[in-house]
Amino acid sequence: MNAQVEPLSDKEIEERLAELPGWSVEGDSLRRHYLFHGHVPAVAMVVHIAQIQEELGHHADLTLGYNRVGVAVNTHSIGGRVTHLDFGLARRIEDIAPGHGVR
Ligand SMILES: C[C@H](O)[C@H](O)[C@H]1CNC2=NC(N)=NC(=O)C2=N1
């Protein structure tokens, strides 16, 4: 699945990052972390991200700390490169973050 997806060029990545403050490409992944006002809000964010990931059929590596959620995503099906699928997931995550009281 997604075998037809193309990696984004450096220029495309730069343009798309400009619309996602706080996100960066490090290594071969699109990344961001969020801080919350406690553990339960951080866990709720993880569950909400999981629901979006299942909807999209695209899944980030999530790390959960006490009040921290880390997100790192690339597209496995083309060997772990950054594609529009990764930016699509990032956009959806970014849109729900304020509702979880991200600080
Ligand atoms: C069949 C299923 O849609 C694929 O295995 C999806 C699942 N989630 C995925 N997530 C990510 N990050 N990259 C993929 O290539 C990918 N492929």
Side-chain angles (χ1 to χ4, degrees):
M1 196 176 166
N2 299 333
Q4 76 290 358
V5 175
E6 301 273 335
L8 296 176
S9 69
D10 289 348
K11 182 167 178 288
E12 286 169 321
I13 286 172
E14 193 182 317
E15 287 168 2
R16 287 170 178 250
L17 280 176
E19 295 178 9
L20 285 172
W23 291 79
S24 61
V25 172
E26 290 163 46
D28 265 332
S29 294
L30 179 61
R31 295 173 192 266
R32 172 162 193 181
H33 73 265
Y34 296 97
L35 294 176
F36 298 88
H37 290 283
H39 189 51
V40 171
V43 173
M45 178 70 168
V46 168
V47 172
H48 201 166
I49 292 172
Q51 291 168 334
I52 290 168
Q53 293 180 150
E54 289 288 281
E55 180 194 328
L56 298 180
H58 201 66
H59 302 78
D61 292 335
L62 302 176
T63 54
L64 172 65
Y66 165 64
N67 65 346
R68 184 184 191 283
V69 174
V71 182
V73 62
N74 62 32
T75 299
H76 310 150
S77 58
I78 56 161
R81 304 287 303 279
V82 174
T83 71
H84 75 92
L85 297 173
D86 305 308
F87 276 94
L89 176 59
R91 179 75 263 159
R92 292 285 304 275
I93 292 171
E94 198 62 17
D95 290 346
I96 64 165
H100 289 276
V102 70
R103 66 183 177 90

